[in-house]
């Protein structure tokens, strides 16, 4: 009851005219920033941070929170329409969103992304409202062994799935891990795999560079090849009726939505993880648990719903360690944290007690931001669909330019642009040879999180792997991971034998 | 009387304006200002003391419109600062690249001569503060003083985990000191950034840390962690219950610089601009308040004095690293 009255009080703050206007404006700005490849919520929040000194702190964080939310919705748009991930958090959305657009179901994919984002965001905020302090305690107790076990579980979901060649999937994961190891090692302090002494490799390979290269450039080359230049992307039509029908159909994806929301939220609250790993893991789990895993990557609507609900839930989750521990769970929350300090608020375990108006006003605004992002997003769907009506001869150069910009913006270095082009060609070749690319993307995101965690755990335990099995959370994760690895592999081996006996 | 006073004031104003004009004419001719966003490199991870300070300064700059171009914080925590040092050394535009640095500014180049970093080529902009260190334990451990700490750590041997910010970082030096001074065998486990280290202690995934006050303050206020001794010459006002190591009979004092440096090859004009800018930030009410709240110490030093301070500190750290056996 106390929470309810605090929340109602928060709503009173969030619906003050100034704050409400900021929410709507923030959602709209965020949507477009998120839709631009290479520009994500990080850039949006960073660019607009100085504007917040004009308004009181509570309004300021409400505004930035709205941008953050809007960008999470917007990231899906270019992933689906152009096949270029609009933001790192929306990479997993390309896996199935782009194939859907090519099949003329872009409207369905966009509605699914928007609705899933809404569900994920809403579940995230409700969890945040009800369980912030206990969840913060769980996040606090999460050490290196738990993080490693969780990451192993995510990898396991990507191996041994029906439909994909296991050897090729493993190759894809390993090459991703190798790319993830490039750069300075945090534990020994030594540079690794910098190819002689190329300075651009010191900061590692930016994952967005790989994703834009593989999906943006690679996809463009592939489309040009199969269509010989005159692509007719089967066009989707939009109408209010169609959108409503799509929404009704979406109720069938409730499993993927709930899975994505809860998993995403949980991964989001872990310091240092954030929405990108959350959305990739949700995709992996959804595929693993599906009855028809072979349709994933070919335009399965659950493949859009799971990562989109996860990335919005995770972005809410990432606010939790920021507010309660003072540790940002994602790059965007790191910038929000900087803002809070200058507004005179010290994030940390005391913020809920010292500044209840601020915290609860902010939480309430997230409910509102979620709703407005959904409405604005759906209102713009016809405009996005129009993009697909452009002939590919016009669209391809636009995609190319957006890829170059998207590769340059995150680190402002040409090194990354060249790297992206190389990845584009490699991605195209991998596609021709029928290698799954999602596992490589997953590995380059999760590898740099998993590897130090493994080494820290082994340092703590003095080299014994028992540390992963003697702690409650990590042992559960480890057993699930092992089961996920072994079961499908065993099943495949059995199937193969059965097929052989049938043939003879 | 009133008019006289008024005209006097106007006269003073005119004198001031003309005075300013006289000063600013020669500087105006070559006054340098950033022409594009300035990269503000942080030599450590997100959520640590350096990270928080840079984001705070960035906001002071934006709030008071001290610069027409924005300052963009970029974390480069890899290799205990090696990543950041390399980035500065190879900066394509040294006039728009500055870094917020710690003591790994001395130790990392000493440890890794292969990096080819010579700190005397960097542009000394301004030391914003000196940060302090304390020895922290989790409140659940029941430990309230160094005596109990030593007893508990001795009993656990190398199963006693000391979390820190990187191999051979400041935290590693202090861990080695404690191991030597008290005959302990604590195991040092590196994490990415002081914020993460503080969290590991609060979550009972480490037994002790040597965090800066700003990193542990939140957990301390929430009653999760406790400082049991300070590496300072006198007790810190914020933690007056924690004795200094000097009081405990171990003469060990350690500070960490919180300093802004410019990339090697920065022009004189640009360096002058940044010196004035950061002197202004240092003098601002916000920064002074931040220093008090985070228990930061030390005055603003710049130019040659700062360079001499660096070279002196570098020599001190060389001796420390040699004693540790990290370098020859």
């Amino acid at each position: 009851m106390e929470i309810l009255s605090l929340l109602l009080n928060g709503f009173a703050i969030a619906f003050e005219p100034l704050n409400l206007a900021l929410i709507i404006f923030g959602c709209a700005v965020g949507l477009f920033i998120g839709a631009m490849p290479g520009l994500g919520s990080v850039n949006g929040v960073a660019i607009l941070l100085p504007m917040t000194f004009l308004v009181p702190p509570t309004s300021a964080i409400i505004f930035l929170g709205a941008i953050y939310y809007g960008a999470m919705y917007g990231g899906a748009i270019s992933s689906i329409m152009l096949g270029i991930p609009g933001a790192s958090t929306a990479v997993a959305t390309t896996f199935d969103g782009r194939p859907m657009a090519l099949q003329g179901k872009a409207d369905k994919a966009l509605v699914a992304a928007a609705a899933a984002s809404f569900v994920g965001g809403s579940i995230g905020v409700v969890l945040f409202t009800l369980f912030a302090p206990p969840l913060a305690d769980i996040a606090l107790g999460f050490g290196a062994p738990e993080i490693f076990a969780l990451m192993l579980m995510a990898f396991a979901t990507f191996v041994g799935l029906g439909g994909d060649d296991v050897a090729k999937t493993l190759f894809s994961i390993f090459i991703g891990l190798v790319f993830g190891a490039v750069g300075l090692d945090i534990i020994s302090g030594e540079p690794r795999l910098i190819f002689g002494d190329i300075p651009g490799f010191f900061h590692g390979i930016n994952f967005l560079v790989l994703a834009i290269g593989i999906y943006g450039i690679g996809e463009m080359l592939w489309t040009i090849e199969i269509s010989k230049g005159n692509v007719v992307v089967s066009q989707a039509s939009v109408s209010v009726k169609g959108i409503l029908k799509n929404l009704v159909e979406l109720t069938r994806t409730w499993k993927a939505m709930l899975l994505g929301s809860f998993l995403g939220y949980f991964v989001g609250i872990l310091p240092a993880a954030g929405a990108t790993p959350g959305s990739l893991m949700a995709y992996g789990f959804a595929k693993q648990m599906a009855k028809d895993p072979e349709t994933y990557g070919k335009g399965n609507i659950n493949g859009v719903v799971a990562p989109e609900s996860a990335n919005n839930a995770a972005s809410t989750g990432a606010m939790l360690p920021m507010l309660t521990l003072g540790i940002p769970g994602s790059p965007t929350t790191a910038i929000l944290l900087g803002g809070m300090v200058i507004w005179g608020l010290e994030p940390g375990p005391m913020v809920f007690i010292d500044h209840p108006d601020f915290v609860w006003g902010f939480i309430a605004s997230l409910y509102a931001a979620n709703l407005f992002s959904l409405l604005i997003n759906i209102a713009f769907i016809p405009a996005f669909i129009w993009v697909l009506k452009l002939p590919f001869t016009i669209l391809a150069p636009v995609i190319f330019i957006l890829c170059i910009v998207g590769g340059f913006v995150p680190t402002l270095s040409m090194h990354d642009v060249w790297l992206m082009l190389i990845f584009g060609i490699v991605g195209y070749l991998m596609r021709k040879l029928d290698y799954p690319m999602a596992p490589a993307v997953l590995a380059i995101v999760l590898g740099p999180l998993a590897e130090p965690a493994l080494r820290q755990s082994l340092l703590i335990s003095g080299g014994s792997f028992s540390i992963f099995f003697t702690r409650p959370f990590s042992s559960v994760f480890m057993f699930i991971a092992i089961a996920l690895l072994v079961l499908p592999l065993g099943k495949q081996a059995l199937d193969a034998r059965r097929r052989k006996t049938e043939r003879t | 009387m009133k008019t006289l006073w008024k005209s006097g004031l106007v006269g003073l104003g005119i004198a001031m304006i003309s005075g300013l004009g006289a000063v600013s004419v020669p500087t105006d001719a070559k006054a340098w200002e950033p022409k594009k966003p300035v990269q503000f490199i942080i030599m450590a991870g997100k959520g640590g003391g350096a990270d928080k300070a840079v984001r705070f300064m960035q906001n002071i700059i934006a709030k008071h419109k001290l610069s027409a171009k924005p300052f963009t914080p970029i974390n480069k925590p890899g290799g205990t600062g090696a990543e950041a040092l390399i980035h500065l050394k190879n900066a394509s535009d040294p006039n728009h690249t500055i870094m917020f640095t710690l003591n790994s500014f001395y130790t990392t180049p000493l440890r890794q001569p292969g990096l080819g970093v010579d700190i005397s080529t960097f542009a000394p902009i301004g030391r914003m503060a000196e940060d302090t260190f304390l020895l922290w334990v989790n409140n659940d451990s029941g430990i309230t003083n160094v005596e109990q700490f030593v007893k508990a750590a001795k009993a656990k041997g190398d199963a006693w985990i000391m979390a820190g910010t990187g191999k051979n970082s400041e935290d590693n030096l202090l861990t080695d000191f404690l191991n030597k001074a008290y005959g302990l065998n604590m195991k040092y486990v590196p994490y990415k950034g002081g914020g993460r280290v503080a969290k590991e202690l609060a979550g009972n995934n480490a037994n002790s840390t040597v965090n800066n006050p700003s990193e542990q303050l939140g957990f301390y206020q929430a009653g999760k962690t406790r400082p049991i001794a300070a590496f300072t010459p006198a007790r810190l006002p914020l933690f007056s219950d924690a004795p200094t190591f000097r009081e405990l009979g171990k003469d060990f004092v350690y500070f960490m610089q919180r300093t802004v440096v410019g990339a090697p090859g920065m022009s004189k004009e640009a360096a002058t601009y940044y010196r004035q800018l950061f002197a202004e930030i240092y003098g601002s009410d916000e920064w002074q308040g931040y220093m008090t709240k985070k228990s930061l110490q030390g005055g603003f030093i710049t130019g040659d004095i700062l360079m001499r301070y660096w070279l002196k500190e570098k020599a001190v750290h060389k001796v420390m690293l040699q004693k540790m056996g990290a370098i020859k």
Side-chain angles (χ1 to χ4, degrees):
Chain A
M1 269 305 96
E2 196 202 340
I3 286 177
L4 198 65
S5 67
L6 284 167
L7 185 65
L8 284 176
N9 192 21
F11 270 113
I13 296 167
F15 284 122
E16 280 168 21
L18 170 70
N19 293 346
L20 193 64
L22 284 174
I23 291 174
I24 296 172
F25 180 56
C27 288
V29 170
L31 197 68
F32 283 96
I33 289 176
M36 284 293 295
L39 283 179
S41 54
V42 185
N43 316 74
V45 171
I47 294 164
L48 292 164
L49 185 67
M51 277 184 67
T52 61
F53 300 127
L54 307 172
V55 293
T58 309
S59 309
I61 193 148
I62 284 174
F63 180 54
L64 295 181
I67 295 172
Y68 192 16
Y69 255 60
M72 283 293 155
Y73 276 80
I77 294 164
S78 58
S79 297
I80 293 169
M81 303 308 296
L82 304 175
I84 318 170
S88 63
T89 49
V91 170
T93 313
T94 24
F95 298 165
D96 278 284
R98 177 64 179 160
M100 282 184 78
L102 291 176
Q103 292 158 17
K105 291 190 277 188
D107 59 325
K108 203 176 231 180
L110 286 172
V111 172
S117 295
F118 178 72
V119 171
S122 303
I123 291 180
V125 191
V126 171
L127 288 174
F128 195 116
T129 312
L130 298 177
F131 306 113
L135 282 172
D137 276 346
I138 293 179
L140 198 54
F142 248 65
E146 283 79 15
I147 290 176
F148 175 73
L150 188 70
M151 295 300 145
L152 193 70
M153 205 159 85
F155 280 119
T157 61
F158 269 71
V159 184
L161 290 170
D164 291 338
D165 187 325
V166 175
K168 281 181 174 171
T169 305
L170 284 175
F171 173 82
S172 194
I173 288 186
F174 290 139
I175 198 83
L177 285 176
V178 171
F179 286 147
V182 172
L184 281 156
D185 169 32
I186 71 150
I187 293 183
S188 70
E190 302 296 328
R192 300 187 296 197
L193 300 174
I194 51 166
F195 300 98
D197 202 6
I198 302 173
F201 281 121
F202 271 89
H203 66 250
I205 293 177
N206 185 333
F207 135 79
L208 204 54
V209 167
L210 178 97
I212 293 182
I214 288 183
Y215 287 99
I217 303 277
E219 176 77 30
M220 187 186 74
L221 293 175
W222 175 253
T223 315
I224 290 173
E225 182 185 290
I226 54 166
S227 66
K228 308 270 188 300
N230 68 61
V231 190
V232 191
V233 175
S234 41
Q235 287 164 9
S237 55
V238 257
S239 61
V240 177
K241 223 171 130 193
I243 289 176
L244 286 176
K245 194 172 136 257
N246 286 332
L247 280 174
V248 173
E249 274 179 36
L250 271 175
T251 49
R252 263 181 264 151
T253 63
W254 64 275
K255 265 190 212 155
M257 265 189 209
L258 289 184
L259 174 88
S261 305
F262 284 99
L263 186 74
Y265 183 77
F266 188 67
V267 174
I269 64 173
L270 300 177
T276 308
S279 63
L280 284 163
M281 286 170 78
Y283 182 87
F285 275 96
K287 186 175 176 185
Q288 175 76 256
M289 288 172 171
K291 288 193 195 88
D292 50 354
E294 66 283 351
T295 60
Y296 278 71
K298 300 188 181 92
N300 188 320
I301 195 161
N302 289 297
V304 174
V305 166
E308 274 305 309
S309 53
N311 70 24
N312 274 57
S315 54
T316 317
M319 309 262 185
L320 191 84
M322 174 193 83
L323 279 174
T324 59
L325 308 179
I327 301 171
S330 72
T332 315
T333 48
I335 297 168
L336 287 178
L337 192 72
M340 284 178 68
V341 176
I342 189 91
W343 303 325
L345 295 156
E346 185 61 38
M350 304 305 284
V351 78
F352 274 78
I353 295 153
D354 294 344
H355 305 283
D357 276 4
F358 173 82
V359 173
W360 290 100
F362 177 52
I363 292 176
S365 80
L366 292 180
Y367 284 92
N370 217 355
L371 182 68
F372 285 111
S373 292
L374 177 74
L375 296 178
I376 295 170
N377 197 341
I378 289 195
F380 275 104
I381 283 180
F384 300 136
I385 294 284
W386 175 80
V387 172
L388 273 190
K389 294 189 176 153
L390 294 171
F392 201 67
T393 42
I394 290 176
L395 214 47
V398 172
I399 292 177
F400 188 70
I401 290 167
L402 287 175
C403 287
I404 303 271
V405 172
F408 184 74
V409 167
T411 51
L412 304 177
S413 86
M414 274 312 282
H415 169 85
D416 282 354
V417 175
W418 296 122
L419 208 57
M420 184 202 68
L421 291 172
I422 295 170
F423 281 133
I425 294 164
V426 172
Y428 162 73
L429 293 174
M430 279 174 81
R431 174 127 197 205
K432 268 195 97 127
L433 298 171
D434 206 20
Y435 278 87
M437 284 171 295
V441 174
L442 177 93
I444 200 175
V445 175
L446 301 188
L449 296 173
E451 191 222 310
L454 173 66
R455 289 164 69 192
Q456 281 153 354
S457 310
L458 292 179
L459 262 175
I460 290 172
S461 71
S464 160
F465 280 90
S466 63
I467 188 167
F468 297 113
F469 297 97
T470 49
R471 299 166 61 116
F473 278 112
S474 73
S475 57
V476 172
F477 294 153
M478 285 305 270
F479 282 118
I480 296 177
I482 291 168
L484 287 177
L485 270 174
V486 174
L487 289 181
L489 288 179
K491 191 167 159 267
Q492 253 185 5
L494 269 179
D495 284 352
R497 191 175 298 167
R498 202 174 300 146
R499 245 176 274 145
K500 230 185 230 165
T501 44
E502 272 166 22
R503 230 176 281 152
T504 48
Chain B
M1 186 66 204
K2 208 175 168 189
T3 37
L4 196 72
W5 193 76
K6 224 179 191 173
S7 63
L9 203 71
V10 171
L12 193 70
I14 291 168
M16 266 174 74
I17 289 163
S18 54
L20 270 176
V23 178
S24 63
V25 166
T27 40
D28 252 358
K30 54 176 180 179
W32 186 90
E33 269 185 43
K35 289 160 195 70
K36 57 181 202 182
V38 177
Q39 287 193 358
F40 203 163
I41 309 294
I42 305 155
M43 216 173 169
K46 293 193 176 91
D51 184 57
K52 285 181 183 163
V54 166
R55 294 182 193 281
F56 190 71
M57 287 190 282
Q58 175 211 11
N59 285 317
I60 296 178
I61 294 170
K63 189 176 175 187
H64 296 303
K65 301 198 174 66
L66 298 180
S67 158
K69 296 288 173 196
F71 281 57
T72 320
I74 301 173
N75 294 78
K76 293 208 176 282
T80 320
E83 184 188 357
L85 287 164
I86 294 280
H87 181 84
L88 239 71
K89 191 187 104 180
N90 298 330
S92 54
D93 186 355
N95 284 348
H96 293 91
T97 314
I98 57 172
M99 171 170 77
F100 197 57
T101 188
L102 334 161
N103 286 1
S104 38
F105 187 58
Y106 320 120
T107 53
T108 300
L110 279 170
R111 242 176 0 94
Q112 298 185 37
L115 295 176
V117 171
D118 177 4
I119 61 168
S120 65
T121 59
F122 286 67
I125 303 292
R127 190 190 71 189
M128 304 301 291
E130 282 188 306
D131 211 339
T132 54
F133 288 88
L134 296 113
L135 174 61
W136 298 84
V137 292
N138 192 302
N139 251 342
D140 298 345
S141 67
I143 293 170
T144 54
N145 58 43
V146 172
E147 202 183 325
Q148 291 169 354
F149 163 79
V150 170
K151 207 175 141 201
K154 263 206 178 122
K156 270 197 143 182
D158 72 348
W160 187 274
I161 304 299
M162 181 74 136
T165 48
K167 205 176 176 194
N168 296 322
S169 67
E170 299 80 2
D171 295 13
N172 204 167
L173 290 172
L174 294 173
T175 305
D176 276 34
F177 159 77
L178 291 169
N179 274 338
K180 269 220 180 95
Y182 292 103
L184 304 173
N185 194 17
M186 299 185 287
K187 187 181 283 169
Y188 183 76
V189 181
Y191 289 90
K192 209 169 176 174
R196 189 62 205 286
V197 172
K199 183 228 140 204
E200 294 302 321
L201 180 68
N204 263 325
N205 291 311
N207 301 102
S208 55
T209 64
V210 282
N211 278 115
N212 304 127
S214 64
E215 294 161 349
Q216 282 284 6
L217 203 57
F219 297 118
Y220 168 71
Q221 285 164 347
K224 288 206 185 290
T225 60
R226 164 202 304 270
I228 53 171
F231 294 90
T232 45
R235 290 191 184 204
L236 291 169
L238 265 180
F239 312 101
S240 54
D241 288 345
T244 65
F245 277 97
R246 234 177 224 177
E247 289 174 51
L248 300 169
K250 307 277 177 193
D251 192 10
F252 194 74
V253 169
Y254 191 75
F255 282 109
M256 179 162 69
Q257 65 166 347
R258 297 267 184 221
T259 299
V260 181
V261 305
M266 178 179 276
S267 72
K268 262 204 188 108
E269 294 76 25
T272 309
Y273 168 84
Y274 290 116
R275 275 180 201 139
Q276 284 167 354
L277 174 73
F278 282 96
E280 205 171 327
I281 294 173
Y282 183 86
S284 70
D285 291 345
E286 285 95 344
W287 183 256
Q288 289 302 321
Y290 187 81
M291 285 184 66
T292 317
K293 230 165 85 188
K294 305 286 184 177
S295 202
L296 295 170
Q297 310 190 330
F300 184 78
I301 57 175
T302 179
D304 292 343
I305 303 172
L306 180 56
M307 182 58 81
R308 275 203 293 279
Y309 165 83
W310 282 349
L311 297 177
K312 187 194 89 205
E313 285 287 307
K314 184 183 162 188
V316 170
H317 280 87
K318 194 170 177 183
V319 175
M320 285 169 75
L321 286 173
Q322 280 166 340
K323 274 192 191 158
M324 270 170 74
I327 56 168
K328 280 184 201 134

